[in-house]
Amino acid sequence: MKTIPSTSDKASEKTKKKAKPKVIAIPKLTPIHQALQNHLIFSSFKTNVVATPRDWYNTASYTVRDHVVERWVKTAESYYVDDPKRVYYLSLEFLIGRMLTNAALNLGIKDELKEGLATLGRSLEDAVEMETDAALGNGGLGRLAACFLDSMATMDIPAAGYGIRYEYGMFKQSIEHGQQIENPDNWLRYGNIWEFQRPESTYDVKFYGHVVKTHKGEGKDAVEVQYWIDAEHVVAMAYDVPVPGYGTDTVNNLRLWSAKATREFDLRQFNDGNYEKAVEERNETESISKVLYPNDTSALGKELRLKQQYFFVSASIQDILRRYLSTHEIKSEQDWNALPDKIAIQLNDTHPAIGVAEMMYQLVDNHHLPWAKAWSLVVKIFAYTNHTLMPEALETWSVELFGRLLPRHLEIIFQINQEFLHMVNHQFPGECDLLTRVSIIDETHGRRVRMAHLAVVGSHTVNGVAALHSELLKKTLFADFNRIYPGKLTNVTNGITPRRWLNQANPELTKLIETVIGDGFKKDLTQIKKLTPLANDADFKKAFAAVKLGNKVRLANKIEKLTGIKLNTKSLFDVQIKRIHEYKRQLLNVLHVITLYNRIRSGEQGITPRTVIFGGKAAPGYWMAKQIIRLINDVAEIVNNDLAIGDQLKLVYYPNYEVSAAEILFPGSDLSEQISTAGTEASGTGNMKMALNGALTIGTLDGANVEIMEEVGEENIFIFGLTTAQVAETKANGYNPRDYYNGNAELKQVIDMIGSGFFSVDEPNRYQAIVDNLLNGDQYLLLADYASYIEAQDRVAALYQDQSAWVSMAILNVANMAKFSSDRAISDYAKNIWHVSPIDAKAVKATVKSKNNR
């Protein structure tokens, strides 16, 4: 029987046009209860008597994986046969979390799996706890990418993700003596059942060397050609991870690259006693895929980051082109015209922006297309998502580093820039300042390559991730580009997958919702709007409140296990879990905690009991963020041990915040802290996850908070603080934080306590830098928003005492989250940016079933 390449996509297939293959027969799967017994013995080599909890996790995973792979093969087969346009999502992060439960739920076999394990005397919950979170991301960027992959598979959109298979992730966070400690996150210690190594899918990635120029042809037909020579070579090896959709046979692919040395081991050096030298090349090469976001405070750290980005982008684009050429015969230059009709590449932030130059390199240098022809293809293939409004957060690289590491690509970028500026100059003659502002090469800060500018110039569409963010991009950061390319900038508001963040994270709420509106909301979140009338239904409110309390008890038990702190589950659970950064203003939250502490100690009555929970990681080189973590824990040490406070106020730091932790934290939250300075947060997705799980939001009019307010109604959210326009006006008028400090007695008391060492008696000046920042600069206007924030928190506390009203408001928040489904976001991308259509998964299923029955 003639077969086809399935998920492995054999790299040996180059440019020959393939005959349409016959559909392969898939072996019939064993019933789950029998498969569990088979895998325990034949895959884990254990019997029921001696099997460990990890063996049972492995057994359950192998069993579910069989069902995933069956669909995966069919999906790959249909893509190969039908040759649809495919989306390739390039992201430096994919925070996919645990796979077992998600796959079982999406395939509709969780209950059967649970029953099968129970008949063997085992618990699915215990098995799931043995799974390690995949350390492939850090925060919202990576989790968004994972949600998008889930939605693309669920919506039957032909797609694949591309990233890096980090061996150690970012780091595993522990809190010791109040401080963040970074430990290696060895998530692959026990292997990864959900990945498939593809040694046949390897690509050569080059670094360093230099470029030589020569001429090809003779006379007037001679053309200049460039050759990148004397480069160092790294091998990129593929590892594939399945992404099963919900309620469909579609399983898409996440391909992750691991760096391998061209020469593993120098035996001669080893035999001479130079043991370290013998493995030096391998160690240096494989460092590329060791750690997510290596500390870039050093020159070597910066170089490694750029290496990482080019490494995964180059391998991905080579793979994308190889796949295209395996089914499209190229006989002339015109045969390349179909490339944009079959390929859509989405750049998730600036990290993969080098892809624009890499695609030019592949098309011009390796496939010998004329420059103009190649560029006309590139700008039809790429689209770019911007995730930040802060200029300092946009990646730039020194020309010196870039040219040393990627000499040919620097030349390509110079030529792209030259032609771009020539076009701008013709369109806007005499505007020299405009040329300086939009140039891909920044000539004013030591000559740097602006990756965001490269992405904008090389893409057909650029999108922001919330309505406010996209408007601000047009008016501020990319205002010049919006003028040069009218219509190129657009908006796609972020979203979250309800499969992970409701169906999986909050099974009890999911069951409750199913009893009243059915289960259609899991695939079509617009149906959740049917809950609206139930916000005033006494029985439903009682059941909703009981689910919330159960989730809070689960969270409290987990926190007690991790930290030893026992929580009052009847208190208001006030939660801020996200990456630690000054603009996200965890420090403003701390100021409120100290304010409450002072009020309770002063004897104020009627204060609503509150538990404040923080979680999140600070970048290893971000000293101020790490100081904020330490301050939170120092304040907690005082508050939690003050007998006068008791259960009225507790402060805890949840260590090593990750996806599996979020699945407990979001459902257990009463209040969602979304308090960034207006105009700094692009979107945020934690706000969406919190609201979908029945938490009320306290926040500024920033990012997606604006749209959440529009959906749930101003009366069902706690908005405070300056607006984006007011922030700009306040700064323009000469903002002086000391005016607020001197004008607010509660604020002055709080800051003086921090500065005097009240929370750090062993080192009174420990937080002097924080105090100095607040009083002498306060870049993110914490003091300007303090009074408004405290007033909003007082409204929160008052409403929480009226539990009937609180629960009604929480139900209305859940009922109005349809807009924030990642399915809606992916629908927007597919229709307006990628121009792709879903495959007919049912037809594929029917075809394969027909073949198997012969």
Side-chain angles (χ1 to χ4, degrees), residues 63-258:
T63 300
V64 174
R65 195 183 74 170
D66 289 346
H67 290 258
V68 172
V69 169
E70 179 194 35
R71 292 162 171 80
W72 201 7
V73 170
K74 296 173 186 177
T75 303
E77 195 170 43
S78 70
Y79 291 172
Y80 189 83
V81 171
D82 298 335
D83 191 26
K85 184 175 185 178
R86 302 196 208 186
V87 175
Y88 297 105
Y89 198 85
L90 271 59
S91 179
L92 203 58
E93 296 185 42
F94 287 95
L95 205 55
I96 58 178
R98 293 172 173 174
M99 292 281 293
L100 174 56
T101 303
N102 185 253
L105 279 169
N106 279 9
L107 269 57
I109 60 173
K110 183 187 175 185
D111 290 343
E112 193 177 349
L113 178 68
K114 190 172 185 177
E115 291 168 7
L117 285 168
T119 61
L120 297 170
R122 302 294 166 171
S123 155
L124 176 58
E125 289 73 20
D126 290 343
V128 167
E129 282 303 307
M130 299 307 299
E131 183 171 5
T132 305
D133 280 40
L136 300 171
N138 173 39
L141 184 78
R143 187 51 236 175
L144 179 78
C147 284
F148 279 3
L149 291 185
D150 174 272
S151 285
M152 285 187 270
T154 298
M155 299 170 69
D156 302 315
I157 290 176
Y162 279 104
I164 296 178
R165 180 183 181 264
Y166 301 104
E167 190 173 340
Y168 291 103
M170 188 173 176
F171 60 84
K172 193 177 185 71
Q173 182 195 57
S174 60
I175 304 296
E176 299 178 18
H177 307 293
Q179 299 182 73
Q180 171 178 287
I181 303 298
E182 298 108 25
N183 308 290
D185 189 354
N186 191 8
W187 70 285
L188 291 168
R189 178 185 287 112
Y190 301 107
N192 180 13
I193 286 172
W194 298 98
E195 70 178 9
F196 292 80
Q197 186 181 26
R198 303 300 189 194
E200 73 277 17
S201 292
T202 58
Y203 296 94
D204 185 55
V205 179
K206 298 195 290 186
F207 297 102
Y208 307 110
H210 60 277
V211 178
V212 295
K213 298 180 181 180
T214 185
H215 286 83
K216 188 176 181 180
E218 297 181 359
K220 64 179 181 180
D221 295 326
V223 294
E224 186 178 79
V225 292
Q226 292 80 20
Y227 295 98
W228 184 3
I229 64 171
D230 297 334
E232 294 182 12
H233 297 256
V234 174
V235 174
M237 181 179 290
Y239 287 76
D240 288 345
V241 178
V243 183
Y246 175 82
T248 177
D249 269 14
T250 298
V251 177
N252 282 332
N253 193 44
L254 170 58
R255 176 157 283 188
L256 304 171
W257 300 105
S258 182

Side-chain angles (χ1 to χ4, degrees), residues 479-600:
D480 291 324
F481 289 107
N482 191 44
R483 184 176 165 216
I484 295 166
Y485 298 115
K488 178 178 277 197
L489 273 66
T490 188
N491 175 63
V492 180
T493 297
N494 280 344
I496 59 173
T497 169
R499 273 77 59 182
R500 170 76 66 167
W501 297 115
L502 187 56
N503 193 27
Q504 179 173 335
N506 205 336
E508 294 306 313
L509 181 58
T510 300
K511 288 177 188 175
L512 177 62
I513 295 172
E514 283 180 357
T515 61
V516 292
I517 67 169
D519 65 356
F521 66 93
K522 298 174 188 175
K523 196 162 185 175
D524 177 11
L525 199 58
T526 61
Q527 295 187 30
I528 209 164
K529 186 77 173 176
K530 297 174 186 177
L531 290 178
T532 302
L534 297 171
N536 295 312
D537 182 285
D539 291 337
F540 185 78
K541 287 170 65 175
K542 183 178 179 180
F544 186 93
V547 168
K548 175 61 73 175
L549 180 59
N551 287 326
K552 290 172 69 175
V553 169
R554 179 178 64 156
L555 174 56
N557 290 339
K558 185 71 172 180
I559 286 174
E560 185 175 7
K561 181 179 178 180
L562 290 172
T563 69
I565 300 172
K566 190 172 182 63
L567 304 182
N568 172 14
T569 54
K570 292 184 179 180
S571 67
L572 168 66
F573 276 21
D574 178 347
V575 181
Q576 187 173 17
I577 42 174
K578 52 185 77 238
R579 180 167 53 95
I580 308 300
H581 196 290
E582 289 168 274
Y583 87 84
K584 294 180 183 288
R585 300 204 296 189
Q586 284 90 353
L587 185 54
L588 180 59
N589 195 345
V590 177
L591 298 184
H592 173 243
V593 171
I594 300 172
T595 301
L596 280 181
Y597 174 70
N598 290 336
R599 288 179 177 181
I600 296 170

Side-chain angles (χ1 to χ4, degrees), residues 757-787:
F758 185 94
F759 301 104
S760 54
V761 291
D762 56 327
E763 188 184 346
N765 294 324
R766 180 178 295 162
Y767 300 114
Q768 192 58 50
I770 288 178
V771 172
D772 289 344
N773 270 2
L774 288 175
L775 296 181
N776 300 320
D778 192 19
Q779 180 182 358
Y780 297 108
L781 281 73
L782 280 73
L783 303 198
D785 275 349
Y786 171 83

Side-chain angles (χ1 to χ4, degrees), residues 655-671:
N656 201 46
Y657 177 55
E658 55 188 352
V659 176
S660 57
E663 291 168 6
I664 298 174
L665 283 156
F666 287 131
S669 302
D670 289 312
L671 185 66

